Amino acid sequence: CIRACIYHRIDNCLDPVWCEPTLVEYVLGTEVVVDVSIYDKNEHHEDKPMGSAKFEVGSVLSASTGIKAKRLPDNAGWIFVQAEKVAKRTEELLNLSLVGRNLINVEGMFGGKSDPFFVLSKKDSNGSWRAVY
């Protein structure tokens, strides 16, 4: 299960770097899929979705750089996920760090730039998704 998810808004930014890693419990050999959804924070209306991508944690961890990237639908930018082991036993603890690049500005031409934040969701054993933070 995911133990913690730290999300925060980065004002007026289409290339956000979320510096605080998210801690994930990971059992070696078990598939863990996470969904990273990016939203534009709107103080007066509903938050606007900017895009999302799913990552299998093991594939990120086994990448030579420990980093995987996915293009968001409709060329709305990229999400990069980095995984790093922080414990050595059967149940691993991982730090997941997130970066967005060239995100689409959903505030329009005159509203400034989007204020992105992320929500991390985990796929449960029954196949349903739940936000974990």
Side-chain angles (χ1 to χ4, degrees), residues 1-107:
C1 69
I2 307 268
R3 276 195 12 190
C5 174
I6 301 166
Y7 89 23
H8 62 277
R9 177 180 73 203
I10 300 177
D11 292 335
N12 298 314
C13 183
L14 301 178
D15 295 303
V17 176
W18 288 280
C19 298
E20 300 170 23
T22 301
L23 237 113
V24 176
E25 287 183 12
Y26 175 73
V27 178
L28 193 62
T30 302
E31 182 179 77
V32 175
V33 179
V34 294
D35 177 78
V36 180
S37 296
I38 310 291
Y39 295 89
D40 174 41
K41 185 65 178 169
N42 191 316
E43 299 296 330
H44 306 292
H45 304 287
E46 190 172 320
D47 297 332
K48 293 181 184 176
M50 298 174 72
S52 67
K54 292 174 179 50
F55 294 87
E56 200 283 310
V57 173
S59 71
V60 178
L61 191 59
S62 65
S64 60
T65 59
I67 299 171
K68 287 275 187 169
K70 296 217 176 162
R71 181 178 283 283
L72 297 173
D74 301 323
N75 291 323
W78 291 83
I79 296 177
F80 293 79
V81 173
Q82 179 178 17
E84 177 183 27
K85 290 182 184 181
V86 293
K88 297 199 184 270
R89 40 179 218 262
T90 305
E91 291 186 15
E92 301 285 344
L93 287 178
L94 304 174
N95 279 331
L96 290 184
S97 300
L98 303 170
V99 173
R101 287 288 176 250
N102 300 316
L103 298 178
I104 190 168
N105 185 11
V106 296
E107 289 195 9

